[in-house]
Amino acid sequence: MTRSSRQRFRDFVQELRGRQPASGTSADSGRLQSRSFWQLFQQFWKLLGKRRRYIALALGSVTIASLLKLVPPAATKLVIDYVLPGRPLPGHWSEVLHLPAHGLPALTALALGVLAVSLTGSLLSLWGRSTATLAVKRVQVAIRKRVFRHAAQLPLHRVYQLKSGGVSSILREDAGGIGDLVFALLYNPWRAVIQLLGSICVLTWVDWRLLAASLVLVPGVYLSHRTWIGRIRPLYRQIRRQRQEIDSHATEAFAGMRVVRAFNRGRNETGRFARGGHLMARQELLAWWWSRLVELAWEALLPLASAGLLLYGGSQVLAGQLSIGDLMMFIVYLAMLLEPLAVLVESATAFQNNLAGLERVLDLLAEPIEMPPAPGAVKLDRHQVEGRLTLRDVSFHYPASDELVLKDIQLDVEPGQTIALVGASGAGKTTLCNLIARFYDPTSGAIELDGVDLRQIDVESYRQLLGIVEQDVFLFDGTVADNIGYAARHARQSDVERAARIANAHDFITALPDGYETLIGERGVRLSGGQRQRLAIARAVLADARIFILDEATSNLDTDSERLIQQSLRGLLVGRTSFVIAHRLSTVVHADRILVLADGRIAEIGTHDELLSTSGLYRHMVHVQLSAGPQAELGSAPR
């Protein structure tokens, strides 16, 4: 039953209060790590890496700029207490600063001095902000790159869980928000602390009792962080998770729009998207109220403190303990004292959102990558690889299941042999090819290349030997040439065209409006199924692989194109170890050996003629296909 956003929000609030999550809440919420502020700060500082020097320069410049900002109020005291009444400046002021003693020259000198100090402070502040902004952008680029690379190395089942929209949310919102912490966590609070300490020092110089009154406010910052803000970060983290789910759903819905329209489910998908948005809006409102409670407490505290300090300062003037200039300077420094306190409170509230994003990024970076290289992993030289593959007692089940998909597979493949895999759907053909491509490692047993266990070989160097064409062709949103050349970074145009000719794709490509520079759209939507498959074959041809895996590589082609491509592939596969998954008899008859899989086991193995001479499963599938017509599939009919 579909649960409303109101019901899901109630469950969400219960979960925040530490109760048992209700049915339908996120399944992985219990696995999320909870880190203290200082743990997060240490991880953030470590992520900054080489950008720390830029941040140090920015903090140094803002320190000087903030200290210079303290000078003009002191000049105000001199003007009010000495220049305007016509009294000479104190001797130590005129001697230290080399100022005229009194009159218009003294006023002019003070005004010019204040102007020079203010301009210098503004220029330093601008330079510091620009340096910090540069650091932000570099941090964002570096962390997004790191997160993208790590996510791309996660096990396939985890990648499928993330979904494309979810990954985009983490890269755009969470990883990008880490860069913003340079200002929210370092630059702005540092500037506020310098201004706060400077103001306290000046107020202490005016009257030490002002220092005692000022310090009463400081613990309030810490207490508000502990009691209120500690609740805000988990809220923002949940909001980011909800945004990721919404992005994932939207990406999935538009990717499957043909199915959505075919089953008239547009209104249902819109409702699902809206319910997710309503839940996130409720979560955001809750976070807004928590933030406003913190600010409201300080909006009440700061005026009370300001009024109390002002009352004390005024009473000191009336008692003759402070001059009018001291009072004016005191009022300015009081404002400069309260301003950074407000900044610290606002910063502590605001950066909880980005800290939540940092926590999500750290969770992702902590996940183990796919097949980390073993100590002393072998780096392959493609020119020295023979291509002999041996499967020894290979069994396998997927991570989310305990049911074996492959059981006790024994197979020796000589270099250059072509092995055809046939069998009913679910027999394990694609799974076997996934193991050979090392998308997964066997649950038990071993796969060896030229006598070396694949687990002892660097996975990236091994995959450089592979050329793969799958039934579900994936093309990128770019030109025809870009998609074919994806297999070889430095491929020349002549290489791309040669591969297209072998795949029988050159003629239809040149007929396109812009030939090889034609944009094909996301997943190749502007091409037919057969055209997309021929581009995928051309891409595999260009890879010049030592090991080929063809998973129904010609299933979407017409008979003539299939015949031409099979002729080309037969020449291409000579001397290359190849695995061909096929359901059509015409695809498998020329294989060196045919592997018949049933229920995850090898039921039969041999050449086409050898298997036909027996009364086994392969012969039965051939007779069924011949009786059903040439387009029928091997293994499609029940036994």
Side-chain angles (χ1 to χ4, degrees):
M1 182 179 69
T2 302
R3 299 165 65 245
S4 68
S5 62
R6 188 185 300 273
Q7 291 172 321
R8 293 174 64 191
F9 179 70
R10 289 172 180 168
D11 293 340
F12 164 75
V13 173
Q14 289 180 355
E15 186 177 353
L16 281 180
R17 291 174 178 172
R19 301 177 185 175
Q20 182 68 24
S23 174
T25 55
S26 178
D28 64 345
S29 60
R31 297 197 301 270
L32 296 175
Q33 298 186 42
S34 179
R35 301 173 179 85
S36 69
F37 169 80
W38 289 111
Q39 287 175 320
L40 287 175
F41 183 84
Q42 290 171 358
Q43 292 294 328
F44 168 67
W45 189 251
K46 188 182 300 184
L47 286 174
L48 292 179
K50 297 178 180 178
R51 276 69 57 181
R52 287 196 288 262
R53 60 181 179 178
Y54 293 100
I55 296 171
L57 289 172
L59 295 183
S61 65
V62 77
T63 299
I64 299 173
S66 298
L67 292 176
L68 290 177
K69 189 177 179 181
L70 299 173
V71 172
T76 303
K77 167 184 167 56
L78 296 177
V79 170
I80 294 175
D81 284 349
Y82 296 97
V83 177
L84 294 183
R87 297 166 53 193
L89 292 175
H92 63 279
W93 283 99
S94 57
E95 292 174 4
V96 172
L97 300 178
H98 303 287
L99 296 176
H102 53 77
L104 184 60
L107 179 62
T108 304
L110 286 172
L112 291 176
V114 168
L115 178 61
V117 168
S118 299
L119 287 177
T120 303
S122 298
L123 290 175
L124 277 172
S125 179
L126 177 63
W127 184 81
R129 289 190 66 85
S130 67
T131 304
T133 302
L134 175 63
V136 168
K137 297 308 174 185
R138 293 195 173 188
V139 167
Q140 287 177 335
V141 170
I143 293 181
R144 280 172 174 156
K145 177 182 177 181
R146 179 174 174 180
V147 172
F148 185 96
R149 180 172 178 79
H150 188 85
Q153 293 179 313
L154 293 175
L156 278 178
H157 71 278
R158 179 64 179 120
V159 174
Y160 296 149
Q161 289 174 355
L162 285 174
K163 300 180 182 179
S164 58
V167 172
S168 299
S169 179
I170 293 174
L171 289 171
R172 183 182 63 253
E173 299 290 339
D174 299 336
I178 292 176
D180 295 333
L181 284 172
V182 169
F183 275 104
L185 194 58
L186 292 176
Y187 187 88
N188 291 336
W190 179 263
R191 181 181 59 181
V193 167
I194 295 300
Q195 185 175 331
L196 175 66
L197 294 177
S199 301
I200 288 176
C201 291
V202 174
L203 290 174
T204 305
W205 173 58
V206 175
D207 189 332
W208 68 267
R209 283 163 291 194
L210 296 177
L211 172 63
S214 304
L215 292 180
V216 173
L217 299 175
V218 176
V221 178
Y222 175 78
L223 291 176
S224 65
H225 173 79
R226 297 293 298 173
T227 57
W228 298 100
I229 298 172
R231 295 175 175 265
I232 295 175
R233 193 193 330 145
L235 250 177
Y236 279 124
R237 190 173 184 183
Q238 297 285 353
I239 291 170
R240 287 176 176 270
R241 288 176 56 203
Q242 180 63 20
R243 183 181 294 117
Q244 177 182 341
E245 291 182 10
I246 292 173
D247 289 348
S248 298
H249 165 253
T251 302
E252 185 179 51
F254 277 91
M257 190 54 66
R258 287 173 62 88
V259 177
V260 172
R261 292 181 178 179
F263 289 91
N264 194 28
R265 301 293 286 178
R267 182 174 297 180
N268 178 270
E269 293 297 331
T270 302
R272 180 182 167 192
F273 180 82
R275 285 191 297 273
H278 289 159
L279 174 60
M280 188 172 71
R282 293 175 188 272
Q283 293 171 333
E284 289 173 334
L285 282 173
L286 181 60
W288 184 88
W289 274 112
W290 277 111
S291 300
R292 295 298 78 75
L293 286 173
V294 176
E295 293 178 6
L296 182 62
W298 277 93
E299 285 176 1
L301 179 61
L302 291 179
L304 287 174
S306 178
L309 291 173
L310 187 60
L311 180 63
Y312 172 78
S315 65
Q316 291 295 95
V317 172
L318 294 176
Q321 300 297 318
L322 293 176
S323 67
I324 297 296
D326 287 332
L327 179 61
M328 295 299 296
M329 183 174 64
F330 166 70
I331 292 173
V332 175
Y333 281 121
L334 177 62
M336 295 178 70
L337 171 69
L338 298 179
E339 177 191 350
L341 286 175
V343 169
L344 289 174
V345 172
E346 291 176 4
S347 297
T349 304
F351 66 59
Q352 297 303 315
N353 189 7
N354 290 329
L355 283 181
L358 170 62
E359 211 164 11
R360 279 164 50 86
V361 167
L362 292 176
D363 285 340
L364 182 66
L365 293 177
E367 294 188 31
I369 64 172
E370 172 204 36
M371 305 168 188
V378 178
K379 296 275 189 178
L380 297 176
D381 182 351
R382 63 183 298 118
H383 301 292
Q384 297 179 357
V385 172
E386 296 180 11
R388 178 180 292 103
L389 281 166
T390 305
L391 285 75
R392 303 187 186 278
D393 300 317
V394 170
S395 297
F396 176 76
H397 65 76
Y398 285 96
S401 172
D402 294 329
E403 182 180 355
L404 288 175
V405 182
L406 294 175
K407 307 161 190 173
D408 304 320
I409 301 295
Q410 298 273 7
L411 182 64
D412 289 308
V413 183
E414 294 297 320
Q417 279 193 336
T418 297
I419 305 297
L421 306 176
V422 300
S425 296
K429 304 184 296 297
T430 298
T431 300
L432 181 59
C433 287
N434 285 339
L435 294 182
I436 292 169
R438 213 186 166 200
F439 293 148
Y440 303 94
D441 280 332
T443 304
S444 62
I447 302 178
E448 299 175 355
L449 173 67
D450 297 340
V452 181
D453 193 322
L454 292 187
R455 285 170 288 209
Q456 300 302 317
I457 298 174
D458 180 77
V459 66
E460 292 188 2
S461 69
Y462 173 68
R463 288 188 183 150
Q464 289 177 356
L465 307 175
L466 301 179
I468 301 176
V469 181
E470 297 181 312
Q471 183 176 11
D472 184 16
V473 174
F474 187 93
L475 298 176
F476 295 93
D477 185 7
T479 66
V480 171
D482 290 339
N483 275 275
I484 297 176
Y486 190 79
R489 182 185 304 176
H490 302 296
R492 297 170 297 182
Q493 182 66 23
S494 59
D495 297 327
V496 171
E497 292 183 9
R498 182 184 61 84
R501 291 181 188 276
I502 293 175
N504 193 29
H506 179 74
D507 291 341
F508 90 77
I509 293 174
T510 54
L512 294 173
D514 297 314
Y516 282 86
E517 297 304 314
T518 301
L519 294 171
I520 62 175
E522 187 175 357
R523 297 183 67 93
V525 294
R526 298 191 180 112
L527 302 177
S528 68
Q531 290 173 333
R532 290 197 296 269
Q533 204 146 26
R534 278 180 274 180
L535 288 190
I537 293 172
R539 182 169 60 192
V541 169
L542 189 62
D544 191 26
R546 301 294 303 160
I547 301 171
F548 266 100
I549 296 175
L550 307 177
D551 186 352
E552 285 294 321
T554 60
S555 61
N556 291 331
L557 302 178
D558 57 75
T559 304
D560 291 337
S561 295
E562 181 186 16
R563 177 177 52 80
L564 292 171
I565 289 178
Q566 285 178 351
Q567 291 175 357
S568 300
L569 288 177
R570 278 199 294 273
L572 176 71
L573 299 182
V574 171
R576 307 174 197 268
T577 306
S578 307
F579 295 85
V580 181
I581 298 176
H583 289 133
R584 295 184 188 176
L585 178 61
S586 58
T587 308
V588 304
V589 292
H590 299 290
D592 295 304
R593 281 188 292 170
I594 299 171
L595 201 68
V596 183
L597 290 173
D599 298 324
R601 299 181 185 273
I602 298 178
E604 300 172 7
I605 187 170
T607 65
H608 174 70
D609 293 334
E610 289 172 348
L611 294 178
L612 276 184
S613 65
T614 68
S615 57
L617 181 59
Y618 179 76
R619 180 177 178 179
H620 173 76
M621 290 189 294
V622 170
H623 285 309
V624 170
Q625 185 185 70
L626 292 176
S627 62
Q631 296 301 315
E633 296 182 347
L634 290 171
S636 59
R639 294 182 60 186

